[in-house]
Amino acid sequence: MREGRKKRHAAAGYRRLRFWALLTGMIMLLVATLAGCADFSGQDRDRSAGQFSANNESLQQKQQTPTPAPSTPENPGPPPTGPCVDPDPQVIATCLASTGGVMAGDDQATTTVVAERTTGKLITAKRYGPQRAIASFDVDGSGDGGLIDFALSPSYSQDRLIYALITTASDNRVVRIAPGDVAKPILTGIPKGATGNMGALYFRSPTELLVATGDAGDPAAAANPSSLAGKLLSVTSFGSGANPAPKVLASGFASNVALCHNDTGALYVSDRTSTEDRLQIVESAGPKVLWTWPDRPEVAGCAVSAGQIFVTTTRTQQILSLTEPTRDKPTITPPVVVLEKRYGALGRIVSSTSGAMLFATVNKASGNPVGTDDRVVRFIPPASSENRT
């Protein structure tokens, strides 16, 4: 009887081992599947853009599980070594091609999604973590063109659509791409130039995409109502065929146009003219100038946090802080330098929901690159001394 008990225990132990081996194998397969990343470049070369495919349909039509926003896997263990490891703890992405738009990948801005302007790749990364491309676009990266900016669909966790402002061989345009598909045009015919291509995208609501365009090196085009250059455009049609002309919300913008906004809906625009750099607020009557820089520090981007507007500069390599205007105090105070010449030439900047910010460098295009350039850097803004009550 004792021998029979032993055999039964041994058989039960064997079944438990088989169960855990099978379960472990399933988990490993699931992790491997979730960690995969589609490469769009081959499809962009081999297929032409037609109607949107089924993976652009609604969640109910697709019957697929919602996917999270782009993220980078955890990377536990000791810090890695190598030429692309930056000793600065605030640097969270390194060895990028010259950058375009940037966004925070999480509330604390410890991960990022950043556009490589000259390669057309959209990269997600974190400090010490692997970098991976979540999308790739065929672009003309000459001058200041290429993958200029991007915006995730307001329902990205369901549809995984990415919108992008890109430069092609013939124009600047807005496109959108779905996983496994090719980029499809949303808005075409934005003038392209040797310079003045940089613009911005921002979803003001789930059904309205704002598109800021540069003047393509032609200031007269920015004032021409029939041209899409130098404008703030409202796009509400997202089909892959011919869409209605976008509504023009504002005109007269110059080069390197960037957008930023606060939580109450105020919209700011920074740009560079031939005589000065500017920060403006978009009002119902049109853009209103808040501040100008006659010395032309090459304003590159703006972001808003806790009643302050932060502006990055390329030539003077600074982050400047200005107090937001209010109804009681419409005049803003002179800019204050809050970071200077620590990371070289600066590009776009963005705020996160926690108040932490990310900015990207543009040293490969406009500065003196170091071994880890170009980079994305986490920045904690100083508290404002202004009384906002």
Side-chain angles (χ1 to χ4, degrees), residues 28-385:
M28 292 178 65
L29 178 61
L30 178 61
V31 170
T33 302
L34 293 177
C37 177
D39 179 7
F40 305 110
S41 57
Q43 297 175 44
D44 286 343
R45 287 191 299 268
D46 297 338
R47 295 161 54 191
S48 59
Q51 293 297 312
F52 286 122
S53 60
N55 59 7
N56 290 302
E57 296 171 0
S58 68
L59 178 64
Q60 291 76 17
Q61 291 172 313
K62 291 183 291 186
Q63 295 183 341
Q64 70 176 34
T65 303
T67 53
S71 62
T72 300
E74 293 294 331
N75 188 37
T81 60
C84 288
V85 177
D86 196 299
D88 189 321
Q90 300 306 317
V91 174
I92 66 172
T94 60
C95 293
L96 298 165
S98 189
T99 62
V102 61
M103 69 169 283
D106 63 273
D107 292 344
Q108 300 299 318
T110 60
T111 62
T112 186
V113 184
V114 57
E116 286 191 328
R117 180 179 60 80
T118 52
T119 69
K121 293 180 180 179
L122 195 58
I123 303 293
T124 179
K126 67 178 296 182
R127 182 163 177 81
Y128 298 153
Q131 295 183 5
R132 62 186 181 96
I134 61 172
S136 181
F137 302 86
D138 287 332
V139 300
D140 178 358
S142 61
D144 62 352
L147 177 51
I148 296 168
D149 199 12
F150 65 95
L152 302 185
S153 162
S155 53
Y156 178 83
S157 62
Q158 298 176 2
D159 57 36
R160 298 182 66 194
L161 294 175
I162 299 172
Y163 292 75
L165 176 60
I166 67 172
T167 307
T168 71
S170 59
D171 66 357
N172 289 304
R173 59 179 56 189
V174 178
V175 299
R176 78 175 184 181
I177 194 168
D181 206 350
V182 294
K184 307 292 178 64
I186 300 297
L187 173 64
T188 62
I190 302 170
K192 167 191 174 182
T195 60
N197 299 293
M198 288 291 287
L201 299 180
Y202 163 52
F203 269 102
R204 184 158 64 173
S205 76
T207 58
E208 183 186 28
L209 175 65
L210 299 186
V211 182
T213 66
D215 65 3
D218 181 9
N224 183 350
S226 65
S227 172
L228 296 179
K231 305 293 192 298
L232 178 63
L233 308 171
S234 171
V235 176
T236 56
S237 298
F238 304 110
S240 61
N243 289 321
K247 181 180 179 181
V248 177
L249 302 180
S251 303
F253 300 116
S255 66
N256 213 299
V257 185
L259 294 176
C260 55
H261 61 92
N262 66 14
D263 294 337
T264 63
L267 185 66
Y268 303 98
V269 182
S270 65
D271 69 344
R272 309 172 187 172
T273 75
S274 60
T275 58
E276 62 187 10
D277 294 354
R278 303 179 296 192
L279 176 67
Q280 303 181 80
I281 184 171
V282 179
E283 298 182 334
S284 57
K288 175 184 175 182
V289 175
L290 296 177
W291 197 264
T292 63
W293 289 267
D295 58 336
R296 301 177 64 198
E298 296 184 359
V299 168
C302 66
V304 182
S305 178
Q308 298 179 84
I309 308 169
F310 295 88
V311 174
T312 50
T313 68
T314 300
R315 182 180 64 81
T316 56
Q317 304 177 4
Q318 297 173 329
I319 298 180
L320 305 168
S321 173
L322 305 91
T323 302
E324 271 197 279
T326 64
R327 181 182 302 175
D328 296 331
K329 191 176 180 182
T331 302
I332 62 177
T333 56
V336 176
V337 177
V338 294
L339 185 144
E340 185 172 24
K341 295 184 178 179
R342 183 170 176 179
Y343 298 98
L346 306 186
R348 297 302 167 118
I349 186 171
V350 66
S351 60
S352 68
T353 54
S354 68
M357 296 186 168
L358 293 176
F359 64 84
T361 68
V362 289
N363 287 308
K364 286 184 175 177
S366 303
N368 298 309
V370 299
T372 55
D373 275 325
D374 271 314
R375 294 166 284 174
V376 175
V377 184
R378 188 172 185 265
F379 173 68
I380 304 298
S384 172
S385 60

